[in-house]
Amino acid sequence: MKKVSLLALTAVLCVSTALAGCGKKEEAAPQNAGSPAKAEAASMDIGMLKLTSSAPLFIGIEKGFFKEENIDAKPKWFDAAQPIAVATAGGSVDIGATGITASLYNMVAGGQKLVIVADKGREQKGYSSTALMVPKDSPVKSIAELKGKKIGITQTGSTYHYMTGRLLEKHGLTLKDIELVPLNSIKGLMESLKSKQVDAVMLNEPNITAVLKEGYGRVISQVGDEIEYQTSGLFFSPKLAGNKDLAVRFLKAYAKATRYYYDAVLVQKDGKIVPGANYDEVVKIIAKYTDQPEENVKQGLPYMDRDGKLLASDIKTQVDWYAKEKLIDKAIDTKGIVNTELLDEALKQLGK
């Protein structure tokens, strides 16, 4: 009897333990049921140049903002803007970060697919980015006085070509009133200005500051004070643009980086930039990725929208101007190449 009772008691205890274990599992299940699934890991190649205007991308990589979205963002370095656009349209890279030029629009006019999604640098009033410069002892004091003069630019159809044309038109002139001289490089522009082979050049920072320090040139107009201009942008390949989840995750990280950049180096007080708490860190990051001395970096910190928002209306202005000047084969519908909805969704998820 004692043996039977002991067996019965053991059986009851086993059943009770099993039921208790089941109860714990049932209670734990609802806690896991509502947990968000981890975002799918992705590796993304970004085509870019070693320019300061790529700063948010450098910051996003260094600070781990892309990793937070489970994205392994890898720089793929190029030596010129056009190959980046070609690689992005062809899918060799997922993202292109470069200047917006006539050649890019010609690609689109020819049937290539590209989507411009975010800001990567623009001309803005109150910020030194690109300027029209003349030799120090030149009698020219205004854009209107450039009629009949030689103006140096990098290449036909370049952003410098566009800026020169727009500035002339604002002051009652056209490109027909001057002689454009393509010099193929920034170095060529600086040398031609110094030797006075041209009457004026379009030049960017930090080269503007370098010329002023050497004392052989002076600024007659800052482009940003004359026109708002979206000089460069972030492009998505057709495949990435079609993957909304991944595209938005990337842009969340990018917007976090543009805010970090803006707050560190672009905040102004009384018309002057007031370095933020992370100023030195951001300068060091840019110097690391551009192979430039920190002092040079400080002279060429381009303006960007704090949230990375594209100046979308200017894309149409550019297309219309390039078409008017017959620098692109035909006018294109900018609605097909501009997508601001992806960034809007990213900003909504990111919050203030």
Side-chain angles (χ1 to χ4, degrees):
M1 286 293 293
K2 286 182 181 180
K3 187 175 182 180
V4 173
S5 297
L6 183 59
L7 289 171
L9 180 59
T10 301
V12 170
L13 287 172
C14 288
V15 171
S16 298
T17 302
L19 288 173
C22 291
K24 286 178 182 177
K25 288 179 181 177
E26 288 172 2
E27 287 173 6
Q31 292 177 9
N32 294 327
S35 299
K38 188 176 181 181
E40 184 179 351
S43 177
M44 304 176 75
D45 288 328
I46 309 171
M48 63 176 105
L49 303 170
K50 292 190 174 185
L51 298 176
T52 306
S53 59
S54 296
L57 294 167
F58 306 152
I59 292 167
I61 293 169
E62 283 292 302
K63 300 296 293 181
F65 296 155
F66 294 115
K67 285 186 178 178
E68 289 172 7
E69 297 297 329
N70 213 10
I71 293 172
D72 180 17
K74 296 179 291 187
K76 192 168 183 179
W77 303 111
F78 286 77
D79 295 321
Q82 177 64 5
I84 295 177
V86 172
T88 309
S92 298
V93 297
D94 303 287
I95 298 125
T98 190
I100 304 172
T101 63
S103 58
L104 185 143
Y105 292 127
N106 271 320
M107 283 176 53
V108 175
Q112 298 267 24
K113 299 295 183 182
L114 276 174
V115 182
I116 309 173
V117 296
D119 179 20
K120 199 192 78 76
R122 69 171 74 164
E123 297 292 337
Q124 185 77 16
K125 188 172 183 178
Y127 291 87
S128 179
S129 180
T130 311
L132 199 56
M133 302 190 76
V134 296
K136 189 176 181 179
D137 58 358
S138 169
V140 174
K141 291 182 172 58
S142 69
I143 294 172
E145 295 174 31
L146 288 170
K147 187 172 183 177
K149 305 295 186 183
K150 293 181 178 179
I151 301 179
I153 61 169
T154 47
Q155 295 176 323
T156 300
S158 65
T159 56
Y160 284 13
H161 190 163
Y162 176 82
M163 288 185 278
T164 301
R166 288 288 311 279
L167 263 60
L168 289 169
E169 289 173 359
K170 186 176 178 183
H171 291 269
L173 301 176
T174 70
L175 288 170
K176 293 179 181 178
D177 293 315
I178 57 96
E179 181 183 345
L180 274 184
V181 184
L183 294 165
N184 300 315
S185 69
I186 298 297
K187 184 179 179 181
L189 290 172
M190 296 172 78
E191 289 176 349
S192 294
L193 181 69
K194 192 172 188 176
S195 61
K196 301 179 185 177
Q197 294 178 53
V198 293
D199 301 293
V201 297
M202 194 65 77
L203 205 60
N204 65 342
E205 288 285 19
N207 305 298
I208 296 168
T209 299
V211 168
L212 294 174
K213 283 183 177 179
E214 287 192 45
Y216 62 85
R218 59 183 171 82
V219 173
I220 61 169
S221 181
Q222 287 280 353
V223 174
D225 291 341
E226 299 282 345
I227 59 170
E228 279 192 324
Y229 171 40
Q230 187 71 59
T231 55
S232 56
L234 210 62
F235 309 86
F236 280 177
S237 68
K239 183 178 179 181
L240 177 56
N243 186 337
K244 185 176 179 181
D245 173 69
L246 185 55
V248 169
R249 281 162 48 201
F250 181 89
L251 287 172
K252 278 173 66 180
Y254 183 72
K256 190 177 290 187
T258 57
R259 291 176 178 182
Y260 201 89
Y261 171 79
Y262 187 99
D263 293 345
V265 304
L266 293 180
V267 174
Q268 288 189 345
K269 185 177 181 180
D270 299 325
K272 293 184 178 181
I273 291 175
V274 181
N278 301 308
Y279 182 88
D280 290 336
E281 179 195 18
V282 166
V283 168
K284 285 182 186 297
I285 290 172
I286 296 170
K288 172 184 174 180
Y289 280 82
T290 59
D291 301 324
Q292 291 288 327
E294 291 179 22
E295 285 307 308
N296 286 10
V297 169
K298 291 176 182 178
Q299 304 304 322
L301 294 164
Y303 180 86
M304 281 177 225
D305 182 77
R306 187 175 183 272
D307 287 330
K309 288 187 175 182
L310 192 71
L311 190 62
S313 60
D314 187 56
I315 303 301
K316 185 178 188 311
T317 301
Q318 293 179 37
V319 167
D320 292 345
W321 188 89
Y322 280 125
K324 173 176 71 72
E325 295 295 325
K326 295 181 171 54
L327 291 167
I328 58 175
D329 299 330
K330 61 181 180 180
I332 54 179
D333 183 2
T334 56
K335 292 178 181 177
I337 60 170
V338 175
N339 184 329
T340 57
E341 294 176 2
L342 293 170
L343 180 60
D344 287 342
E345 177 60 29
L347 293 171
K348 182 180 176 182
Q349 292 184 23
L350 189 58
K352 296 295 182 182

